[in-house]
Amino acid sequence: MDSNNQIKPDEIEILIVEDSPTQAERLRRLIQSLHYNARVAANGQLALAAIRERKPHLVLSDIVMPEMNGYDLCRAIKADPTLRDIPVILVTSLNDPKDIIRGIECGADNFIRKPYAEDYLLNRISHMLMNQKLRKNQNVEIGIALYLGDQKHFINAERQQILDLLISTYEQAVQVNGELQARERQVIELNMRLAHHAAELETTNREIALKNLELAEASRMKSAFIANMSHELRTPLNAIIGFTGALLMKLPGPLTADQDKQLTTIRASARHLLSLINDILDVAKIEAGKLTLSIEPVSCHDLIAEVAETLRPLAQQKGLLLEVDAGKQKVVIDTDRRALTQILINLLNNAIKFTEQGSVRISLAQREEDGALVTEMSITDSGAGIKEEDQAKLFQAFSQLDSTSTRHVEGAGLGLYLCQNLANAIGGALFFNSDYGQGSTFTLALRS
């Protein structure tokens, strides 16, 4: 290149015409990165005044601006003989072929497409500045008339200007095409990844389906094993309970005090073990969906009295007062008697176990809710209560609030879990409230 055409960067001044302060500052910093000087004008009117005050080497202008847009600014610059040699680069989206015609009509020297690559913008600016001297002596004008759509356009511009503008437009089209091809490659690669993931997902789904079948079979075998073992264990336990009962009744003969105490311990332990086996068997039936219900009219007064009498010896043994508050009005509901009995026995047994002094009360009440009659059976104790942080795990299977080796209450942690599942099975709801150190109340609600 001819050395006469070389321009020192610090001698160059570029006027940025941009109404967005953010975009203007971005362009200013970008241009100054090549050591060019930069000024900023917020619209075409201010830019025209700044140009006439001090002539820049190049104008970089947005098109869409208030007061005077980029086309009008360019037209005003090219119409002034003292300013027309200033190269004007328009920043546009190039969404319409008419944008090119408008650019040629107003005398623009180059297009930069939005969004632009910073290196491309800097290359365009450098190109325009290096060719500025070459264009000063080529002022031969030509006139061209053409139609675009339904409009006639007359182009009166320098050949070099038209060539530069069309070349810049072509370069932008090539750049866009390259970007589209890159996007297409990305889409193809993404589709291949998706297909790979889909194949992996299908394989995983097949493995999950196979595992589900294996789990179902394992669950069936577990239920069968528990049922068989429970039957095998209950038979000798019932025999132990029966024989110890006969001995305690002194049918074979008198017993010493130590023998009586030991037989009582044996019978209590056997009954406790039998209760655990029954709970495990019932849980297995519920989880396997094999629990059968027998719905019949049940007198709540009679049932509560039976449950209270069954567990009254246990309360008396601990010196607790067992109260029954069933009211005078007879309450009869249609439900499964065995399931309801088991729920009340478990709840009352828990209340007695976890109460060291005071009383335990079982109560019955009815109320109306949303036009339906709700029967509530509540067990209230004056025991230790339940800590707030322990309440969330209260109805979990095999969950014990005191799982240490020093706990003083026996149990496998199935009682409340079983009660909740039985309550759901008979269409009821089991809920509670408790104050730690004050006691608890568990309530079974049945809607009829």
Side-chain angles (χ1 to χ4, degrees):
M1 185 179 293
D2 191 345
S3 61
N4 293 330
N5 293 329
Q6 296 293 331
I7 306 174
K8 295 181 180 179
D10 56 359
E11 298 176 355
I12 300 297
E13 184 178 70
I14 296 174
L15 179 64
I16 300 167
V17 190
E18 171 63 66
D19 61 323
S20 168
T22 303
Q23 291 297 321
E25 179 62 18
R26 177 192 175 194
L27 286 170
R28 186 183 68 80
R29 290 179 178 273
L30 184 62
I31 288 170
Q32 288 180 340
S33 69
L34 291 184
H35 305 289
Y36 296 142
N37 298 309
R39 282 189 293 164
V40 176
N43 58 56
Q45 291 283 10
L46 296 175
L48 202 57
I51 292 170
R52 286 171 177 160
E53 178 183 346
R54 187 169 73 251
K55 188 175 177 181
H57 291 82
L58 183 142
V59 174
L60 179 64
S61 175
D62 191 17
I63 290 181
V64 181
M65 293 182 297
E67 298 189 29
M68 178 185 283
N69 63 33
Y71 291 130
D72 292 338
L73 172 62
C74 184
R75 190 175 289 109
I77 293 172
K78 299 301 181 180
D80 189 330
T82 63
L83 306 177
R84 64 182 305 174
D85 61 326
I86 302 174
V88 178
I89 299 178
L90 296 178
V91 182
T92 176
S93 59
L94 281 177
N95 288 328
D96 192 326
K98 292 180 181 179
D99 291 342
I100 300 174
I101 301 300
R102 293 189 189 100
I104 296 176
E105 285 179 331
C106 73
D109 296 274
N110 223 295
F111 276 129
I112 295 293
R113 181 182 62 87
K114 287 183 178 180
Y116 51 81
E118 293 182 351
D119 56 347
Y120 179 80
L121 173 63
L122 295 175
N123 287 335
R124 282 284 91 197
I125 291 175
S126 298
H127 174 80
M128 294 304 301
L129 291 172
M130 285 189 294
N131 285 288
Q132 187 176 12
K133 288 187 177 181
L134 293 176
R135 297 179 53 190
K136 286 185 177 179
N137 298 324
Q138 298 178 5
N139 294 323
V140 180
E141 297 182 352
I142 58 174
I144 301 174
L146 57 85
Y147 284 90
L148 184 62
D150 296 331
Q151 294 182 346
K152 181 179 180 180
H153 300 269
F154 185 78
I155 310 302
N156 187 12
E158 300 175 5
R159 288 191 297 268
Q160 185 64 40
Q161 178 214 349
I162 295 174
L163 182 60
D164 283 347
L165 197 61
L166 292 178
I167 287 175
S168 70
T169 304
Y170 175 75
E171 287 179 343
Q172 297 285 346
V174 170
Q175 182 182 0
V176 171
N177 186 58
E179 292 174 357
L180 290 175
Q181 289 180 349
R183 297 279 177 85
E184 184 179 3
R185 287 193 296 270
Q186 291 176 357
V187 170
I188 293 174
E189 183 180 353
L190 181 59
N191 286 336
M192 292 177 64
R193 290 180 181 177
L194 289 175
H196 178 68
H197 288 317
E200 290 181 344
L201 184 60
E202 185 177 354
T203 301
T204 302
N205 286 338
R206 285 198 297 268
E207 292 176 354
I208 291 174
L210 181 61
K211 292 296 182 183
N212 285 338
L213 291 174
E214 292 176 355
L215 287 173
E217 177 63 15
S219 178
R220 185 194 66 79
M221 294 177 65
K222 178 202 73 173
S223 299
F225 171 77
I226 291 175
N228 290 334
M229 287 302 297
S230 298
H231 175 74
E232 295 298 327
L233 289 171
R234 281 192 294 181
T235 300
L237 279 174
N238 283 322
I240 292 172
I241 293 170
F243 285 129
T244 53
L247 291 172
L248 286 170
M249 292 173 65
K250 300 180 179 60
L251 296 179
L255 300 173
T256 65
D258 286 340
Q259 289 173 337
D260 187 277
K261 181 179 179 181
Q262 291 169 359
L263 287 172
T264 301
T265 301
I266 292 172
R267 184 174 64 176
S269 298
R271 285 176 175 174
H272 174 65
L273 183 56
L274 182 61
S275 175
L276 292 181
I277 292 172
N278 288 334
D279 285 349
I280 293 173
L281 182 59
D282 287 336
V283 167
K285 286 181 179 179
I286 291 172
E287 292 180 346
K290 296 181 179 179
L291 180 68
T292 56
L293 299 176
S294 177
I295 306 300
E296 59 180 307
V298 177
S299 171
C300 295
H301 286 77
D302 296 342
L303 183 61
I304 287 176
E306 291 174 9
V307 170
E309 290 306 313
T310 300
L311 295 177
R312 191 175 298 278
L314 182 60
Q316 292 174 344
Q317 184 180 348
K318 297 186 67 174
L320 301 176
L321 177 64
L322 178 56
E323 301 174 315
V324 176
D325 181 15
K328 296 181 179 180
Q329 184 178 355
K330 294 294 183 180
V331 176
V332 178
I333 59 175
D334 291 330
T335 187
D336 184 274
R337 182 182 182 87
R338 178 182 174 277
L340 181 56
T341 302
Q342 192 166 0
I343 294 172
L344 294 179
I345 286 179
N346 281 348
L347 292 178
L348 186 56
N349 186 52
N350 275 353
I352 295 172
K353 281 197 302 183
F354 289 97
T355 303
E356 296 303 321
Q357 60 182 3
S359 63
V360 176
R361 184 176 71 254
I362 179 169
S363 58
L364 172 66
Q366 283 188 313
R367 58 181 175 85
E368 286 191 4
E369 183 181 279
D370 299 331
L373 190 62
V374 179
T375 302
E376 291 184 342
M377 284 163 272
S378 301
I379 312 291
T380 303
D381 64 66
S382 59
I386 304 164
K387 295 179 181 179
E388 187 174 351
E389 60 267 24
D390 290 331
Q391 294 180 7
K393 61 181 181 180
L394 197 60
F395 292 104
Q396 297 176 5
F398 302 103
S399 175
Q400 296 170 340
L401 302 189
D402 181 8
S403 58
T404 64
S405 59
T406 59
R407 64 190 180 94
H408 64 280
V409 177
E410 295 179 334
L414 283 175
L416 289 177
Y417 175 73
L418 179 60
C419 287
Q420 186 183 56
N421 281 275
L422 288 173
N424 293 335
I426 61 176
L430 184 61
F431 53 92
F432 75 97
N433 59 74
S434 180
D435 293 324
Y436 185 63
Q438 302 296 321
S440 306
T441 298
F442 285 81
T443 301
L444 173 66
L446 297 169
R447 185 184 292 266
S448 59

